[in-house]
Amino acid sequence: MDERLRTLDWSLVRAFLAVAEEGSLSAAARRLGASQPTLGRQVKAIEDALRARLFARHAKGLALTEMGEAILPAARAMARAMNDIRVAAAARETELTGSVRITASVNVAFTVVPPVIATARRRYPGVQIDLVPSDDSENLTFGDSDIAVRMYRPEQPDLITQFLGTFDIGLYAGREFLDRMGRPESVAEIFELDLVGYDTDRRILDGMIARGFPARRDMFATRCDDPLTQWELVAAGCGIGFAPCAMGDRDPRVDRVPLPFEIEGLPMWLTTSEAMRRTPRIRAIWDVLAAELGPGPSA
């Protein structure tokens, strides 16, 4: 056997698995909290060790080659085994020290999580916290995160969840934009003004279509998939856009645009694996998140 295979580093397998499941280096880098160049080097290293190409480029990212498909089940099995080791070691911990990795959507991580982490750090100074703002679904069972704040309820049987409440959404525009263009008083008047939305992400479009509006991508005069950059476009006066009320209501540059109907908020769920919540440091940070973000029934 080639010596490079005898000493194949788990970090290389982990990088391969993340890219395989996410479909791109950028998404995999966000999932692992690594830089894209580092991940690219790790993928090249495992391809060199195996002497085979594992990915082929296509218009939307990276697709597995035949060899990549062949090793994917073994990589997932290795990930589960590594997580089992991590869980077994964590279960024997008794002190509130070490690190806890939290993932949350970009908007949630920006608007409501930082004060909670500040509270957790004051209460448990021996615990370090990694916050990963990401709209991708990190895999808790593979150890990519310890705790996740999700905008949906995960269904995996080995995960536990707690409902935190609703993340309210509103419609906003820059004050200068509204003073210049006029303040809309109906849905029809809103659609006559410039709108700000996503580029490739269909969340806003699908939500509008579900409400019966004939929404199309070209209705949005300015588009960006990064939520925080999109918000800056709204605040700068590019048009009207949706945003979390926790962010929009505290920004003096904007005003909320009234609607004749309520916008359904997004549910927030706290999630971790059942085994990891028994770890003292993770249970402690879980309890702070649950209390500060809004307690709900455990499940």
Side-chain angles (χ1 to χ4, degrees):
M1 179 184 292
D2 192 305
E3 183 61 28
R4 288 174 297 183
L5 293 181
R6 291 182 183 276
T7 59
L8 188 61
D9 193 325
W10 155 240
S11 65
L12 304 185
V13 179
R14 186 170 181 243
F16 159 76
L17 184 59
V19 176
E21 293 184 339
E22 298 296 338
S24 71
L25 286 173
S26 58
R30 288 193 298 271
R31 167 171 155 176
L32 298 180
S35 70
Q36 191 169 327
T38 296
L39 208 59
R41 288 192 294 270
Q42 289 176 320
V43 169
K44 185 179 185 307
I46 191 172
E47 287 183 328
D48 289 345
L50 297 175
R51 296 180 178 177
R53 287 187 64 197
L54 303 179
F55 298 99
R57 292 193 175 275
H58 61 87
K60 295 185 177 180
L62 297 172
L64 286 169
T65 62
E66 186 175 340
M67 180 62 174
E69 292 281 6
I71 70 168
L72 183 59
R76 284 177 169 154
M78 189 174 180
R80 285 189 290 269
M82 292 298 294
N83 193 53
D84 288 345
I85 293 172
R86 187 173 72 101
V87 169
R92 300 184 67 84
E93 296 177 5
T94 58
E95 297 181 358
L96 289 172
T97 58
S99 64
V100 176
R101 188 176 180 85
I102 302 170
T103 183
S105 74
V106 173
N107 277 329
V108 169
F110 181 77
T111 55
V112 298
V113 173
V116 181
I117 290 180
T119 298
R121 286 284 302 130
R122 288 193 298 269
R123 194 171 298 173
Y124 303 109
V127 178
Q128 303 150 11
I129 298 176
D130 303 317
L131 176 60
V132 184
S134 173
D135 290 323
D136 301 320
S137 294
E138 275 70 18
N139 198 324
L140 292 166
T141 59
F142 286 167
D144 293 335
S145 296
D146 297 313
I147 300 173
V149 182
R150 296 267 170 86
M151 312 315 286
Y152 60 91
R153 183 176 185 174
E155 300 295 336
Q156 294 97 316
D158 55 344
L159 298 182
I160 57 173
T161 62
Q162 182 167 327
F163 180 63
L164 297 175
T166 301
F167 195 57
D168 294 331
I169 303 295
L171 195 62
Y172 296 88
R175 290 180 175 176
E176 182 276 334
F177 174 86
L178 292 172
D179 291 341
R180 174 168 49 90
M181 302 299 296
R183 296 174 183 267
E185 297 181 356
S186 67
V187 173
E189 290 181 0
I190 290 172
F191 284 131
E192 290 175 0
L193 299 177
D194 287 343
L195 302 179
V196 178
Y198 288 107
D199 179 16
T200 59
D201 192 315
R202 289 189 54 88
R203 278 178 289 178
I204 293 177
L205 275 177
D206 291 342
M208 294 173 71
I209 291 170
R211 284 189 167 273
F213 299 114
R216 307 179 312 277
R217 181 177 179 274
D218 60 10
M219 292 172 57
F220 297 92
T222 310
R223 298 180 288 264
C224 178
D225 279 341
D226 179 76
L228 300 186
T229 303
Q230 186 185 117
W231 174 247
E232 289 301 313
L233 292 170
V234 172
C238 292
I240 298 175
F242 294 93
C245 296
M247 181 163 60
D249 288 350
R250 72 186 188 190
D251 194 325
R253 299 173 296 172
V254 305
D255 282 336
R256 194 190 297 202
V257 177
L259 285 170
F261 55 83
E262 289 188 5
I263 301 175
E264 185 177 352
L266 299 174
M268 286 197 301
W269 292 87
L270 197 59
T271 306
T272 189
S273 68
E274 187 172 5
M276 288 305 292
R277 199 172 72 153
R278 292 195 291 268
T279 305
R281 70 177 188 280
I282 293 174
R283 180 56 191 254
I285 302 305
W286 169 286
D287 288 344
V288 174
L289 286 164
E292 296 292 323
L293 292 179
S298 296

